[in-house]
Amino acid sequence: SNGKPALQVPSDGVPIVAYLAGGSDYDVRVARCRDAGCLAGASINAIVRYYDYLNPHRKVSMAFASDGLPLIAFQSTAELGGSGGVAVAKCGSFTCASHTVYTAIDTKPQTGLFTDIAVDPAGHPVVSYYDYANHDLFVARCDNETGRPLLNM
């Protein structure tokens, strides 16, 4: 794992971790333990692949949508709408193995560092991230559960 993993525990008590994994390419991966103590191992799925170097400032963050499934914010890739930028993956299952919806929040180059995500009382994701090129901090409030941006503050 590279960088800080994002750990959350849903209501069933079985942990989920989103993290950056290195190798010849770099992935955003989601690991869902098979039991509450992670003693039986985990199901691991790569949800995004980076075809470049791993920026040490990339970070994944995770929260749960109103349906209890993971929302993962991360620095985007060219395949998801830009060079850099920030995106949200709304997982369709606890393991993010199926029906995952990707939404680009901001596609400006060099944005998306130091992401964080939370869910407001209405069930809408709120994403914060840093624009390295302009040295600006952004907060985007989304208008739906999958992450379509409503307002950048």
Side-chain angles (χ1 to χ4, degrees):
S1 168
N2 293 293
K4 182 181 175 201
L7 169 68
Q8 294 285 335
V9 180
S11 60
D12 68 0
V14 179
I16 300 172
V17 179
Y19 63 99
L20 295 170
S24 59
D25 294 314
Y26 298 95
D27 300 328
V28 175
R29 294 185 185 173
V30 176
R32 163 105 166 139
C33 295
R34 292 191 176 104
D35 59 59
C38 289
L39 300 174
S43 297
I44 301 173
N45 292 294
I47 62 169
V48 176
R49 172 153 289 165
Y50 295 106
Y51 293 98
D52 60 359
Y53 71 96
L54 182 65
N55 182 323
H57 303 295
R58 282 188 180 144
K59 177 180 178 263
V60 295
S61 55
M62 182 172 41
F64 291 118
S66 59
D67 63 3
L69 296 176
L71 285 162
I72 300 169
F74 55 93
Q75 186 177 30
S76 187
T77 67
E79 292 81 12
L80 292 176
S83 168
V86 64
V88 170
K90 167 59 176 85
C91 299
S93 67
F94 279 125
T95 61
C96 302
S98 61
H99 307 293
T100 299
V101 176
Y102 299 92
T103 303
I105 301 297
D106 189 334
T107 59
K108 291 189 303 288
Q110 298 185 5
T111 61
L113 299 177
F114 308 113
T115 60
D116 207 355
I117 190 168
V119 176
D120 72 12
H124 301 146
V126 180
V127 181
S128 67
Y129 56 96
Y130 185 69
D131 176 346
Y132 180 77
N134 297 303
H135 306 287
D136 289 326
L137 179 65
F138 288 91
V139 175
R141 181 177 301 278
C142 302
D143 72 348
N144 66 18
E145 194 169 84
T146 60
R148 194 170 68 233
L150 173 65
L151 174 65
N152 276 328
M153 297 182 260

